[in-house]
């Protein structure tokens, strides 16, 4: 009994020890199992995002066709995976894919969405290509319209087209095509490699400068539209050019003669111009001035040419009235009745009566500087309505003035002495005006204030000493008697020496 009880006690002790080890192993296995399942569910299966949309937002992508897209397909932005395709469904205009995108990644809303294949027979994915890095970003509920999406061509159509192309080549000539292709591209491996590398570099640089390229493409539309709108004119120009070239071809001998005799003729023309110097350049320069005047007074010349025929017809009409009648008073329906002082003459703006010369004088003195004209209000309805004060300014529409300088200046017209009301001296009125009126003078560009007047002072001829306007004593030794230095006008302009 003692041995049996001891064995039982040992067995119970061993069993208790084994149970503790198994429990520890089971606990470790449970922790590893829970961790593995959590990683699989949270990271690989992304159950919270798929089931509850945690950390995700949805964007709808409109497509003309499904293009092989399926659920769980990848969505990449700048080559980085940013989400998955949540659903693909049909619409009345095609199909649409619901994209589940990760939050925290700002994707510009101004983008293009393209469907690509990993390989020719691989799975499809969506690539988001931004047009600009600025502006708003995609958010929950955003829609990418169909005009900004694209799908790859159907691989079946490409294979069918390839088969048709191969079938178009006769079987007997297929070997010749392959041989000729080998001959055409033989030895061009390095060149083709450089071409492919250059194309890759060009594409990379184009991607870096995507915004300027898009701006150039968008900006070229108005130019291309203008070419389309002027297509008729371009066709007409091309037709006229073809006519000219055909005429030149038909007159080939005449054109050859012109080219052969053109140089001697040009040389004779040059000699003629040289013989006309300096008369011809002066005439041409004067014509330029006349042309500028003609451009300035174009409207007046046009009005004159329009009204001159009517005026001539009116004058001729006074001579032919009743010309076929027997009346002794036939013709000449022109009245020479005199209307004295209707309207009264204008004397405002001219010299007063005591300064006017008598009509009996026969000499011709110089005319005082300035302008004499009727200087009453411009809207005076009776006196000198067509006076110089109402002459229209050609370079300043809407302004009227007596001279060109008054037209070009900003000085407004001010009637003399308030029009007909004479006040004070006729040659110096209370408004500061004068008779005759002087044209405004513009200072030259960069002109500063007027220099102070030059003071004339007495100096001592024996020593050259004199007192300046400031009260100080100065010495100009070269003005003293016995000075050895020669006196010149330049030395008189040098600064004096202050004592």
């Amino acid at each position: 009994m003692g041995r049996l009880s001891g064995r039982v006690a040992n067995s119970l002790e061993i069993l208790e020890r084994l149970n503790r080890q198994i429990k520890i192993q089971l606990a470790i296995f449970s922790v590893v199992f829970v961790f593995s399942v959590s990683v699989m569910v949270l990271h690989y299966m992304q159950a919270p995002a798929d089931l509850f949309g945690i950390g995700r937002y949805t964007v709808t992508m409109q497509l003309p066709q499904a293009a092989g897209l399926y659920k769980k397909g990848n969505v990449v932005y700048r080559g980085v995976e940013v989400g998955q395709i949540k659903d693909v469904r049909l619409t009345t205009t095609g199909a649409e894919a619901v994209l589940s995108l990760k939050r925290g990644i700002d994707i510009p809303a101004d983008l293009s969405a393209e469907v690509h294949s990993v390989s020719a027979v691989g799975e499809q994915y969506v690539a988001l290509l931004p047009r600009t890095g600025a502006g708003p970003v995609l958010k929950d509920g955003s829609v990418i319209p169909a005009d900004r999406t694209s799908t790859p061509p159907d691989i079946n159509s490409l294979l069918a087209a390839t088969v048709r192309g191969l079938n178009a080549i006769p079987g007997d000539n297929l070997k010749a095509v392959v041989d000729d292709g080998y001959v055409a591209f033989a030895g061009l491996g390095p060149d083709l490699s450089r071409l492919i590398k250059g194309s890759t570099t060009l594409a990379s640089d184009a991607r870096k400068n995507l915004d300027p390229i898009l701006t150039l493409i968008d900006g070229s539309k108005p130019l291309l539209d203008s070419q389309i709108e002027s297509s008729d004119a371009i066709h007409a120009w091309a037709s006229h050019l073809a006519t000219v070239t055909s005429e030149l071809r038909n007159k080939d001998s005449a054109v050859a003669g012109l080219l052969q005799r053109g140089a001697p003729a040009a040389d004779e023309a040059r000699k003629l111009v040289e013989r006309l110097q300096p008369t011809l350049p002066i005439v041409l320069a004067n014509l330029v001035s006349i042309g500028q005047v003609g451009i300035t007074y174009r409207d007046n010349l046009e009005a004159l040419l329009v009204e001159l025929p009517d005026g001539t017809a009116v004058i001729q009409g006074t001579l032919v009235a009743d010309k076929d009648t027997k009346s002794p008073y036939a013709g000449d329906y022109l009245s020479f009745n005199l209307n004295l002082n209707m309207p009264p003459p204008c004397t405002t703006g001219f010299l007063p009566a005591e300064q006017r010369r008598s009509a009996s004088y026969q000499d011709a003195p110089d005319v005082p500087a300035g302008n004499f004209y009727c200087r009453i209000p411009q809207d005076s309805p009776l006196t000198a309505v067509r006076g110089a004060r109402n002459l229209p300014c050609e370079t300043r529409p809407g302004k009227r003035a007596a001279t060109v300088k008054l037209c070009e200046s900003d000085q407004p017209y001010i009637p003399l002495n308030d029009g007909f009301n004479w006040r004070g001296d006729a040659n110096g009125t209370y408004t500061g005006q004068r008779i005759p009126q002087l044209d405004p003078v513009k200072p030259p560009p960069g002109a500063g204030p007027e220099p102070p007047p030059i003071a004339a002072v007495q100096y001592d001829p024996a020593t050259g000493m004199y007192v300046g306007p400031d009260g100080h004593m100065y010495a100009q030794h070269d003005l003293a008697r016995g000075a050895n230095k020669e006196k010149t006008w330049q030395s008189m302009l040098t600064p004096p020496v202050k004592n």
Side-chain angles (χ1 to χ4, degrees), residues 60-67 69 87-98 144 146 149:
T60 303
M61 173 183 174
Q62 298 178 349
L63 295 165
Q65 57 182 352
L69 289 179
D87 189 16
V88 180
R89 52 177 177 256
L90 293 174
T91 63
T92 56
T93 58
E96 63 180 15
V98 180
I144 303 176
T149 61

Side-chain angles (χ1 to χ4, degrees), residues 179 257 276 339 342 438:
D179 294 340
L276 294 177
N339 297 325
M342 294 178 61
L438 299 178

Side-chain angles (χ1 to χ4, degrees), residues 349-352 355 367-373 375 416 426-428 432-439:
F350 301 93
L351 292 177
Q355 297 183 19
V367 179
N371 304 309
F372 294 98
Y373 63 94
R375 293 166 64 181
L416 183 66
N427 293 335
Q433 297 170 301
R434 57 163 290 172
I435 299 177
Q437 183 185 23
L438 299 178
D439 287 328

